[in-house]
Amino acid sequence: MVEELLKYPKALALSVLFHLVIIIAIVINFQFFDKPKLVQMGTQVKTIQAKVIDSKQLEESKQKQKTQKAEQRKNELKKIALEEKAKELKQKKQKEKEKEKEKEKKQKVEAQKKKLEKQKKTAQAKEQAAIKRKKDAKKKERLKAQKNAEAEKQAAKEKAARIKIKQAKQKQAAEAAEKKKLAEEQKKQEADKRRQAEQEQKRKEAELNAKLEAEESSRRLSTLRQKYINDIREAIERNWRRPRESGKVESCEVRMIQGPGGIIVDVTFGDCSGGTSAYRASIENAVYKAEPLPKPGDPALFERELNFIFNPK
């Protein structure tokens, strides 16, 4: 309860002031109570006894009220003392908290100060290191310049010696090149003669090989073409069925037009004067049954129009 009152200091002050006013009013009231008036002589004994009893009861009542008020005052003072103690405790805690904050603030300031000093030392160290690097770099550049100067001097001497040696070698090389040129020229002339002879020999051999290859290719194509025609004839003859009414079978010239893949487009006849219409029809049926026609051994031999003599045995 004290902690709740401490949260509202104005209300607490008003409460204390109110209780003080009540206490002062009670004290003043005790001082101004009417004293019992003296009873005149001659009043009856009964009346005096009643008044004595009433006075005694009144005194006891006043004493009781005084005791209650004293107890109430004591409790109020005790409450006020507790509130004051709580207030002091709160103020003490507030002071301790402020001291702790001040301590933390000082610690932060000290830490910041140390950090700045560390940064300053680090910066100084970096600066000194940079100065040292610059000095080392300058020293290194001087040594490098000295070495370069010595190297250039030595290189100039070596260059002069090389030029002298080179000139001597160039003279020897020129003489050797002249001799080599003459020898190469002679060698080239001899090589040209040999090459011309070889080319002529190769040309003759190539012509002979080409002629032999052409003859061989012609024979091969002729053989393949003959086989191609024979394969077609045999395929047609396998599918031919002799007509019943036909007598002697005559040879007949058959002309065919085929499409890609050996598909028959048209069938006509050339010299077939000895054959009947049924005989020609049987040949035509055999041709259509034989499709697709056999493929040639070489695609170059494919012909759209084919002619052959049909003469079954």
Side-chain angles (χ1 to χ4, degrees), residues 56 127 166 201 211 251 259 310:
K56 187 178 180 181
E127 186 178 359
K166 184 178 180 181
Q201 182 66 26
K211 186 176 180 181
S251 61
F310 182 77

Side-chain angles (χ1 to χ4, degrees), residues 25 61 64 90 125 128 165 183 185 213 233 240 254 284 288:
S61 176
K64 187 177 180 181
K90 183 179 178 182
Q128 290 176 358
I165 294 169
E185 187 66 28
E213 288 178 0
R233 184 187 297 108
W240 179 71
V254 182
E284 185 175 356
Y288 280 107

Side-chain angles (χ1 to χ4, degrees), residues 114-128:
K114 289 180 179 180
K115 184 178 179 181
L116 291 173
E117 289 177 356
K118 186 177 180 181
Q119 291 177 351
K120 185 177 179 181
K121 289 180 180 179
T122 304
Q124 289 175 351
K126 287 182 178 179
E127 186 178 359
Q128 290 176 358

Side-chain angles (χ1 to χ4, degrees), residues 285-296:
N285 288 335
V287 171
Y288 280 107
K289 286 181 180 180
E291 69 173 349
L293 298 177
K295 295 181 180 180

